[in-house]
Amino acid sequence: MNPPSIPLSVIKIGGGLAAVPGALDQVCGVVSAVGCDYRILVVPGGGTFADTVRSFDRTLGLSPDAAHWMAILAMDQYAHALAERIRGARLIDEPGALPAAGVSVLAPYRWMRAADILPHDWEVTSDSIAAFVAGALDAVRLILIKPASGIPEPVDSHFRRTLPAGLPCFTIGWDRMDELAACLSG
């Protein structure tokens, strides 16, 4: 008989946290701690890595396809930083590599390139990618950790079309990490 599967929670860690002194380390510490009790897949934001792509696009111009894939590659860079900072986390690049327990960090480029179901424009951000990942993996919840509290909705206008109907989604600021355990158990 197989042991019962631990339900999966997807947590998107916003790239903007890196710009707030102490925020990234605090968030990674809390995610590491709750990873002992939950099965978590972290989806990275793009942060300064994606901002570099946006700047390049504004200055020199990119096709929508090139900008899209370069921005997702930026998420891969942030994934490496998160996997290094979340104690015990495992870096993965495809859903088949997701372990049955603990914390994993997704470097999404390879999977997103193969799936290629989201529009190639700046309206699709890591929030929509996290929603796609949560739905594709039948996660029980999606939690978006943002650089500020009080953000009522993700800023990505495509997000609601990507989020599976009925999937609970919580948005919390990095300074409210005490709410993470309640979101994970709720």
Side-chain angles (χ1 to χ4, degrees):
M1 183 168 139
N2 291 331
S5 178
I6 299 171
L8 177 67
S9 295
V10 172
I11 298 177
K12 185 256 179 168
I13 298 180
L17 293 173
V20 180
L24 188 58
D25 288 334
Q26 180 176 337
V27 168
C28 289
V30 172
V31 170
S32 179
V34 298
C36 296
D37 298 320
Y38 297 94
R39 183 175 176 224
I40 296 170
L41 178 62
V42 172
V43 174
T48 58
F49 302 108
D51 289 343
T52 299
V53 176
R54 283 185 188 93
S55 177
F56 189 93
D57 186 24
R58 277 191 304 272
T59 304
L60 298 172
L62 293 167
S63 71
D65 289 343
H68 178 74
W69 296 121
M70 289 170 69
I72 295 175
L73 281 167
M75 292 172 65
D76 275 17
Q77 292 177 313
Y78 190 43
H80 283 268
L82 291 172
E84 181 177 273
R85 285 185 150 59
I86 299 171
R87 189 177 58 257
R90 178 178 173 190
L91 183 69
I92 64 168
D93 65 358
E94 61 183 1
L98 188 63
V103 179
S104 298
V105 177
L106 178 66
Y109 177 82
R110 182 174 167 196
W111 184 16
M112 295 308 299
R113 187 74 187 208
D116 196 15
I117 62 140
L118 297 173
H120 296 189
D121 62 40
W122 286 113
E123 291 301 313
V124 173
T125 68
S126 55
D127 288 349
S128 284
I129 292 171
F132 165 77
V133 167
L137 295 177
D138 293 324
V140 295
R141 70 189 54 82
L142 172 60
I143 301 168
L144 306 172
I145 301 176
K146 299 287 187 173
S149 292
I151 299 173
E153 291 289 325
V155 296
D156 174 347
S157 65
H158 193 73
F159 178 82
R160 290 285 167 211
R161 289 175 279 183
T162 308
L163 184 70
L167 180 68
C169 180
F170 307 92
T171 301
I172 58 176
W174 76 271
D175 56 340
R176 304 290 298 260
M177 290 306 293
D178 56 318
E179 297 175 5
L180 183 60
C183 291
L184 285 167
S185 64

Short mmCIF file of all heavy atoms in Angstrom, two decimals, residues 11 42 47 49-50 55 77 91-92 116 121 126 128 141 144:
data_model
loop_
_atom_site.label_atom_id
_atom_site.label_comp_id
_atom_site.label_asym_id
_atom_site.label_seq_id
_atom_site.Cartn_x
_atom_site.Cartn_y
_atom_site.Cartn_z
N ILE A 11 3.60 28.24 -3.76
CA ILE A 11 3.88 29.56 -3.20
C ILE A 11 4.73 30.32 -4.21
O ILE A 11 5.81 29.88 -4.57
CB ILE A 11 4.63 29.46 -1.85
CG1 ILE A 11 3.79 28.73 -0.81
CG2 ILE A 11 5.02 30.86 -1.37
CD1 ILE A 11 4.51 28.53 0.52
N VAL A 42 7.75 26.24 -4.78
CA VAL A 42 7.95 27.68 -4.90
C VAL A 42 8.11 28.03 -6.37
O VAL A 42 8.91 27.43 -7.08
CB VAL A 42 9.20 28.14 -4.11
CG1 VAL A 42 9.51 29.61 -4.39
CG2 VAL A 42 9.00 27.88 -2.61
N GLY A 47 11.57 39.69 -10.67
CA GLY A 47 12.36 40.70 -9.99
C GLY A 47 13.26 41.51 -10.90
O GLY A 47 12.91 41.83 -12.04
N PHE A 49 15.81 40.65 -12.42
CA PHE A 49 16.20 39.91 -13.63
C PHE A 49 15.21 40.21 -14.76
O PHE A 49 15.61 40.51 -15.89
CB PHE A 49 16.26 38.41 -13.35
CG PHE A 49 17.21 38.04 -12.24
CD1 PHE A 49 16.72 37.62 -11.01
CD2 PHE A 49 18.58 38.12 -12.40
CE1 PHE A 49 17.59 37.28 -9.97
CE2 PHE A 49 19.45 37.78 -11.38
CZ PHE A 49 18.95 37.37 -10.16
N ALA A 50 13.91 40.15 -14.46
CA ALA A 50 12.89 40.46 -15.47
C ALA A 50 12.88 41.96 -15.78
O ALA A 50 12.62 42.35 -16.94
CB ALA A 50 11.51 40.02 -15.00
N SER A 55 13.68 46.55 -19.51
CA SER A 55 14.50 47.70 -19.88
C SER A 55 15.11 47.51 -21.27
O SER A 55 15.10 48.42 -22.09
CB SER A 55 15.59 47.94 -18.83
OG SER A 55 16.42 48.98 -19.21
N GLN A 77 16.66 32.42 -13.12
CA GLN A 77 17.77 32.97 -12.35
C GLN A 77 17.37 33.19 -10.90
O GLN A 77 18.11 32.85 -9.98
CB GLN A 77 18.26 34.28 -12.98
CG GLN A 77 18.92 34.06 -14.32
CD GLN A 77 19.32 35.37 -14.96
OE1 GLN A 77 18.56 36.32 -15.02
NE2 GLN A 77 20.56 35.42 -15.43
N LEU A 91 15.97 22.35 -6.24
CA LEU A 91 15.70 23.05 -7.49
C LEU A 91 15.25 22.03 -8.53
O LEU A 91 15.93 21.02 -8.75
CB LEU A 91 16.94 23.80 -7.98
CG LEU A 91 16.78 24.63 -9.24
CD1 LEU A 91 15.90 25.85 -8.96
CD2 LEU A 91 18.13 25.08 -9.76
N ILE A 92 14.10 22.28 -9.17
CA ILE A 92 13.60 21.38 -10.21
C ILE A 92 13.25 22.20 -11.45
O ILE A 92 13.03 23.41 -11.35
CB ILE A 92 12.38 20.55 -9.74
CG1 ILE A 92 11.17 21.45 -9.45
CG2 ILE A 92 12.74 19.71 -8.52
CD1 ILE A 92 9.87 20.68 -9.26
N ASP A 116 3.83 26.02 -23.39
CA ASP A 116 3.57 27.20 -24.22
C ASP A 116 2.09 27.51 -24.40
O ASP A 116 1.59 27.60 -25.52
CB ASP A 116 4.27 27.06 -25.58
CG ASP A 116 4.36 28.40 -26.32
OD1 ASP A 116 4.16 29.45 -25.68
OD2 ASP A 116 4.63 28.37 -27.53
N ASP A 121 3.12 38.23 -23.95
CA ASP A 121 3.10 39.68 -23.79
C ASP A 121 3.39 40.03 -22.34
O ASP A 121 3.45 39.15 -21.48
CB ASP A 121 1.78 40.29 -24.28
CG ASP A 121 0.56 39.80 -23.52
OD1 ASP A 121 0.63 39.65 -22.28
OD2 ASP A 121 -0.48 39.58 -24.15
N SER A 126 4.77 36.45 -13.60
CA SER A 126 4.99 35.24 -12.81
C SER A 126 3.75 34.87 -12.00
O SER A 126 3.58 33.70 -11.63
CB SER A 126 6.20 35.42 -11.89
OG SER A 126 6.06 36.57 -11.09
N SER A 128 0.65 34.79 -13.21
CA SER A 128 -0.10 33.89 -14.10
C SER A 128 0.62 32.55 -14.26
O SER A 128 -0.02 31.50 -14.34
CB SER A 128 -0.29 34.52 -15.49
OG SER A 128 -1.29 35.49 -15.46
N ARG A 141 -3.81 24.86 -3.07
CA ARG A 141 -3.87 26.30 -2.84
C ARG A 141 -2.71 26.98 -3.53
O ARG A 141 -1.69 26.34 -3.82
CB ARG A 141 -3.89 26.63 -1.35
CG ARG A 141 -2.57 26.37 -0.65
CD ARG A 141 -2.64 26.49 0.86
NE ARG A 141 -3.66 25.68 1.49
CZ ARG A 141 -3.54 24.39 1.80
NH1 ARG A 141 -2.43 23.75 1.51
NH2 ARG A 141 -4.52 23.74 2.39
N LEU A 144 0.50 33.87 -2.95
CA LEU A 144 1.37 34.85 -3.58
C LEU A 144 1.98 35.72 -2.48
O LEU A 144 1.25 36.39 -1.75
CB LEU A 144 0.59 35.73 -4.55
CG LEU A 144 -0.23 35.01 -5.62
CD1 LEU A 144 -1.09 36.00 -6.39
CD2 LEU A 144 0.68 34.24 -6.56
#
